[in-house]
C-alpha cells in the first residue's frame, strides 16, 4: 500500500514544484534579468547608471529613513500598551486584542485618505476647530507620513511585544526585587534584555513592511514630494516613457534589502532567543497601579484608539455622508445619496464591486486548493524536494508585493505569444494567487501539524484507504485552517491596490482603484462611500468566519 502511495505523492510534489517555479521563480528571475540585460547583452553599467542617479539615491535614502523612523515611532506607541496588556490588570480586557487590530486590518490607502481629509486646509479638523488653521503645515511633512504609517503597523509590534512579555516569568523580576533592585533597575537589567530578541524580530518585520508599503506613500507621500521605492517602481512601470529596466533595477535593490532583513531576522531568532517557557508552571503577577496611573493608562489607551481608529474612520464616514463639500460639517448637509449612487447611477462603481468580488473569490479558492495540495504533498514526502517546494511557496511572503507584480508583468509579457494571459482578468487572478498563496500554506500547515500520527495510523488499522482517510480524517481536521486561509485571502484580495493599479486591463476598475480614482478626480464623497462599504464588507466577512469557526470547535 505504502509503495503505491509514495510514488503518487512524489509525482504530485514534482508537479507542484514545476508549477511554483513557473508562477513564482520565473517572474523573480525576470526582474534580475531585465535589470542587467539590455538589447540582449549583459550591461551592468546601465543598471549602475540608473541606481546612481541623484533622484534615485535620494529615494533610497528616503526609504531607509522612513523605515527607521516608523520602527521607532511604532515602538513608542506599542511598548506601553504591550506592558499594560501583559503585566497589569488591563490584561483581563481581552476585547482590546481585537480593537487594536482594527488599524492593521484597515487598508492603508483608506486610512491615509482619511487623515488627508481631516488635516488638509479647510479640512474636517479646521471645520470643527477653526483655531487649528495652519495645522496642515505640520501634518503634510515627513513627520505626518511617519505618524500615519506607524499607526498602521504598530498593532504588529504590539502583538509581538505583548506575547514576549507574557512569556517572561514574574519570578525573574521578583528575584531582582529580593536582591534590592528597584523597578527601573529590574526594567533595565532583567526585562528589556529578555525582550531584545523578540523586539529585534518585530522591528525588522515592521521595517520590511514599511519599505514594501505602497498605499500611504502613493497618497500622502506624493503630496509632500517624498518618493520611496514603491512609488518610484510604480512610476517607472506606468508613467510614460515606460522604463521597465529602471523599474526592474529598483525592484532588485528593494528585493535584496528585504531578503537581507529576513535572513537577519532568522539569525536573531536562532541566536538571540531565550527559553523562558519550561515544564514548570509559572504564575503571572500583576503590577499594581495607583489610581492616577490607572487614569493615565486609560487616557493613553483612549488617545491611541482615537488617533489610530477614530480620526480616519470619522473622516471617511463623515465625508461619505456630506452632500456639498463646500458646506462641510453643517447641519442639513448630510445625505445617503452617495451610497445609493453606487448601486444605481454609477455603473463603474457596480462594475468595480463585481470585479473585486470575482477576483477575491476566484483567487481565494485557487489558493485554498493549491495551498492544501502543497501542504499535503510536503508533509507526506521524504524527498529533499519538499523543502524546496515549501520555500518557494512561502517566498512571496518575503518579497514586496509590487516587486512580484513587476516580475509577473515582465515574465508574462515575454511569453504572451505562447500564453496570451497578459492584459486580461486572468493575469490579475494569477497575480493574486502568487501574492497570497502563503496565507493558505501557513494556516493549513498550522492545522496539519496539530494532527497526531496516531489518528492516521488508526484509520489504516481499521482498513481505511488513503482517499478515505484524507476525506474523513485529514480534511475535516485541517478544514478550519483552509477556511481561515480562504477568508484572509478573500479579504486582502478584495481591497488589493498595487496589483490592480499595475496590471488591470484597460478600463477595468476594482474597489481600490475606484476609490483612488474618485479621490484624485474630486468625487471624494462617492469614493469614501465605496471605502466604507469595503471596510464593512471585509469586517463582516471576518466576523462571520470567526463565528463559524467557534461554532465548529464547540460542536467538535
Amino acid at each position: 500500500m505504502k509503495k503505491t502511495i509514495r510514488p503518487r505523492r512524489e509525482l504530485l510534489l514534482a508537479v507542484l514544484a514545476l508549477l511554483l517555479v513557473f508562477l513564482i521563480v520565473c517572474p523573480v528571475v525576470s526582474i534580475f534579468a531585465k535589470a542587467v540585460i539590455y538589447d540582449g547583452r549583459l550591461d551592468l553599467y546601465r543598471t549602475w547608471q540608473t541606481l546612481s542617479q541623484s533622484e534615485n539615491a535620494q529615494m533610497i535614502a528616503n526609504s531607509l529613513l522612513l523605515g527607521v523612523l516608523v520602527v521607532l515611532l511604532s515602538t513608542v506607541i506599542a511598548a506601553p500598551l504591550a506592558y499594560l496588556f501583559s503585566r497589569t490588570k488591563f490584561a483581563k480586557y481581552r476585547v482590546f486584542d481585537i480593537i487594536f487590530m482594527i488599524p492593521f486590518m484597515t487598508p492603508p490607502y483608506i486610512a491615509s485618505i482619511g487623515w488627508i481629509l481631516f488635516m488638509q486646509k479647510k479640512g474636517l479638523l479646521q471645520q470643527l476647530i477653526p483655531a487649528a488653521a495652519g495645522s496642515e503645515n505640520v501634518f503634510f511633512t515627513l513627520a505626518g507620513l511617519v505618524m500615519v504609517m506607524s499607526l498602521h503597523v504598530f498593532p504588529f509590534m504590539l502583538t509581538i511585544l505583548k506575547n514576549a512579555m507574557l512569556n517572561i516569568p514574574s519570578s525573574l523580576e521578583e528575584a531582582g526585587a529580593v536582591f534590592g533592585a528597584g523597578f527601573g533597575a529590574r526594567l533595565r537589567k532583567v526585562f528589556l534584555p529578555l525582550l531584545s530578541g523578540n523586539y529585534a524580530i518585530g522591528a525588522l518585520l515592521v521595517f520590511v513592511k514599511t519599505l514594501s508599503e505602497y498605499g500611504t506613500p502613493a497618497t500622502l507621500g506624493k503630496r509632500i514630494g517624498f518618493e520611496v521605492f514603491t512609488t518610484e517602481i510604480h512610476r517607472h512601470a506606468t508613467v510614460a516613457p515606460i522604463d521597465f529596466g529602471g523599474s526592474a533595477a529598483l525592484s532588485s535593490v528593494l528585493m535584496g534589502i528585504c531578503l537581507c532583513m529576513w535572513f537577519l531576522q532568522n539569525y536573531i531568532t536562532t541566536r538571540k532567543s531565550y527559553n523562558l517557557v519550561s515544564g514548570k508552571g509559572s504564575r503571572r503577577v500583576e503590577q499594581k497601579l495607583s489610581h492616577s496611573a490607572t487614569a493615565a493608562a486609560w487616557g493613553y489607551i483612549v488617545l491611541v484608539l482615537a488617533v489610530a481608529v477614530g480620526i480616519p474612520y470619522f473622516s471617511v464616514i463623515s465625508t461619505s455622508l456630506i452632500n456639498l463639500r463646500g458646506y462641510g460639517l453643517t447641519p442639513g448637509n448630510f445625505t445617503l445619496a452617495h451610497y445609493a449612487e453606487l448601486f444605481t447611477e454609477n455603473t463603474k462603481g457596480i462594475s468595480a464591486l463585481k470585479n473585486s468580488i470575482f477576483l477575491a473569490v476566484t483567487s481565494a479558492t485557487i489558493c485554498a486548493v493549491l495551498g492544501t495540495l502543497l501542504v499535503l504533498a510536503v508533509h507526506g514526502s521524504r524527498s529533499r524536494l519538499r523543502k524546496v517546494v515549501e520555500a518557494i511557496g512561502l517566498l512571496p511572503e518575503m518579497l514586496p508585493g509590487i516587486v512580484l507584480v513587476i516580475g509577473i508583468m515582465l515574465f508574462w509579457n515575454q511569453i504572451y505569444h505562447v500564453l496570451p494571459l497578459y492584459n486580461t482578468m486572468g493575469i490579475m487572478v494569477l497575480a493574486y494567487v502568487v501574492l497570497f498563496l502563503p496565507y493558505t500554506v501557513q494556516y493549513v500547515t498550522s492545522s496539519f501539524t496539530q494532527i497526531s500520527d496516531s489518528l492516521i495510523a488508526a484509520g489504516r488499522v481499521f482498513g481505511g484507504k488513503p482517499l478515505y482517510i484524507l476525506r474523513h480524517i485529514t480534511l475535516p481536521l485541517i478544514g478550519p485552517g483552509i477556511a481561515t486561509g480562504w477568508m484572509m485571502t478573500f479579504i486582502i484580495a478584495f481591497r488589493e491596490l498595487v496589483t490592480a493599479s499595475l496590471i488591470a486591463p484597460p478600463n477595468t476598475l476594482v474597489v481600490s482603484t475606484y476609490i483612488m480614482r474618485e479621490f484624485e478626480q474630486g468625487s471624494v464623497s462617492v469614493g469614501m462611500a465605496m471605502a466604507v462599504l469595503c471596510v464593512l464588507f471585509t469586517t463582516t466577512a471576518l466576523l462571520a468566519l470567526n463565528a463559524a469557526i467557534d461554532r465548529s470547535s464547540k460542536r467538535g
Side-chain angles (χ1 to χ4, degrees):
M1 179 74 70
K2 288 184 180 180
K3 290 181 180 179
T4 58
I5 297 171
R6 192 166 295 165
R8 294 177 184 176
R9 195 165 278 159
E10 300 305 325
L11 177 62
L12 175 62
L13 193 65
V15 171
L16 288 174
L18 290 174
L19 181 62
L20 292 178
V21 167
F22 187 71
L23 293 178
I24 299 173
V25 177
C26 288
V28 172
V29 172
S30 297
I31 295 173
F32 289 110
K34 188 66 176 179
V36 299
I37 296 177
Y38 289 88
D39 297 328
R41 59 187 178 83
L42 184 66
D43 190 350
L44 296 177
Y45 176 74
R46 289 283 300 273
T47 303
W48 170 250
Q49 200 174 33
T50 299
L51 296 177
S52 61
Q53 292 175 1
S54 58
E55 57 270 23
N56 285 336
Q58 183 61 50
M59 176 273 299
I60 294 172
N62 287 347
S63 300
L64 299 177
L65 175 63
L66 181 63
V68 171
L69 293 177
V70 169
V71 168
L72 293 176
L73 184 55
S74 61
T75 302
V76 171
I77 297 172
L81 294 171
Y83 188 84
L84 288 174
F85 293 128
S86 63
R87 315 296 285 190
T88 72
K89 64 181 180 181
F90 286 91
K92 65 183 179 182
Y93 300 115
R94 302 300 299 274
V95 67
F96 284 111
D97 292 342
I98 299 173
I99 295 175
F100 274 104
M101 289 305 295
I102 294 175
F104 191 69
M105 291 300 296
T106 304
Y109 59 91
I110 292 180
S112 178
I113 290 173
W115 271 102
I116 292 172
L117 294 170
F118 189 76
M119 294 299 299
Q120 67 186 356
K121 189 175 182 180
K122 296 182 181 180
L124 299 177
L125 174 61
Q126 295 179 24
Q127 293 177 36
L128 294 170
I129 308 174
S135 58
E136 71 276 6
N137 297 325
V138 177
F139 176 76
F140 288 98
T141 60
L142 175 60
L145 179 62
V146 171
M147 183 192 72
V148 173
M149 296 193 76
S150 299
L151 290 174
H152 173 67
V153 297
F154 88 88
F156 193 81
M157 182 71 77
L158 169 61
T159 302
I160 290 178
L161 291 179
K162 177 189 170 184
N163 291 337
M165 291 180 186
L166 287 172
N167 287 332
I168 297 177
S170 299
S171 57
L172 296 178
E173 290 185 85
E174 292 173 344
V178 167
F179 285 96
F183 176 75
R186 297 199 304 272
L187 195 66
R188 291 194 314 272
K189 301 292 185 179
V190 178
F191 205 70
L192 294 181
L194 293 176
L195 283 178
S196 60
N198 294 88
Y199 173 72
I201 294 170
L204 290 173
L205 293 177
V206 168
F207 183 84
V208 169
K209 184 161 183 62
T210 302
L211 260 63
S212 307
E213 177 56 44
Y214 171 75
T216 305
T219 50
L220 180 55
K222 282 188 176 182
R223 288 211 170 195
I224 63 175
F226 195 86
E227 298 293 344
V228 294
F229 269 114
T230 51
T231 54
E232 277 297 285
I233 292 170
H234 191 276
R235 183 182 67 81
H236 279 292
T238 58
V239 179
I242 303 296
D243 182 12
F244 281 121
S247 181
L250 295 178
S251 296
S252 300
V253 176
L254 179 57
M255 192 189 315
I257 293 173
C258 292
L259 288 176
C260 287
M261 292 296 103
W262 284 108
F263 289 135
L264 182 58
Q265 176 207 327
N266 290 333
Y267 172 82
I268 292 173
T269 302
T270 55
R271 298 294 182 91
K272 299 293 182 180
S273 59
Y274 299 93
N275 295 322
L276 299 174
V277 180
S278 63
K280 296 181 179 179
S282 62
R283 57 190 178 87
R284 184 178 61 85
V285 177
E286 290 183 356
Q287 181 73 33
K288 293 184 179 180
L289 299 176
S290 64
H291 292 299
S292 58
T294 301
W298 275 116
Y300 183 71
I301 292 171
V302 171
L303 175 63
V304 173
L305 287 176
V307 175
V309 180
I311 289 177
Y313 275 90
F314 166 76
S315 300
V316 170
I317 295 172
S318 60
T319 303
S320 72
L321 297 172
I322 290 176
N323 187 22
L324 299 173
R325 291 190 64 204
Y327 290 95
L329 299 173
T330 56
N333 192 36
F334 297 98
T335 180
L336 293 173
H338 304 301
Y339 290 91
E341 181 181 340
L342 289 175
F343 297 99
T344 54
E345 305 171 15
N346 199 321
T347 56
K348 289 186 177 180
I350 297 175
S351 176
L353 276 170
K354 289 180 179 177
N355 289 337
S356 290
I357 292 173
F358 166 76
L359 289 168
V361 170
T362 306
S363 59
T365 303
I366 295 174
C367 282
V369 174
L370 183 59
T372 302
L373 287 175
L374 192 152
V375 173
L376 292 174
V378 165
H379 286 271
S381 172
R382 296 179 183 176
S383 169
R384 293 180 180 179
L385 185 62
R386 72 185 190 279
K387 292 185 178 181
V388 177
V389 172
E390 191 173 25
I392 296 175
L394 293 175
L395 181 62
E397 186 184 33
M398 305 180 196
L399 302 177
I402 192 169
V403 170
L404 274 173
V405 176
I406 292 294
I408 290 170
M409 292 173 64
L410 294 172
F411 176 69
W412 285 89
N413 191 36
Q414 290 174 344
I415 64 170
Y416 183 81
H417 61 285
V418 180
L419 289 173
L421 198 63
Y422 190 75
N423 219 19
T424 67
M425 289 289 282
I427 195 68
M428 295 186 71
V429 173
L430 182 144
Y432 283 22
V433 170
V434 170
L435 287 173
F436 308 132
L437 179 63
Y439 290 102
T440 298
V441 172
Q442 289 175 328
Y443 284 113
V444 176
T445 299
S446 177
S447 297
F448 194 89
T449 53
Q450 296 175 15
I451 300 176
S452 173
D453 293 336
S454 60
L455 293 175
I456 308 297
R460 290 173 182 162
V461 167
F462 285 95
K465 294 183 178 180
L467 191 59
Y468 181 89
I469 293 173
L470 176 67
R471 247 186 12 248
H472 294 278
I473 297 177
T474 307
L475 286 180
L477 291 174
I478 65 174
I482 298 173
T484 304
W486 189 96
M487 186 56 71
M488 291 303 297
T489 302
F490 175 88
I491 290 171
I492 298 173
F494 183 81
R495 66 193 200 189
E496 168 65 14
L497 172 61
V498 68
T499 305
S501 66
L502 281 171
I503 62 175
N507 300 318
T508 299
L509 292 173
V510 295
V511 164
S512 58
T513 52
Y514 178 85
I515 293 171
M516 294 290 288
R517 192 196 70 158
E518 295 299 304
F519 178 71
E520 292 170 353
Q521 294 183 355
S523 301
V524 180
S525 295
V526 176
M528 294 306 97
M530 179 67 84
V532 172
L533 292 178
C534 173
V535 172
L536 285 176
F537 192 77
T538 53
T539 304
T540 303
L542 185 61
L543 293 175
L545 172 67
N546 289 335
I549 291 176
D550 289 342
R551 283 197 301 270
S552 64
S553 61
K554 288 177 181 177
R555 284 198 298 268

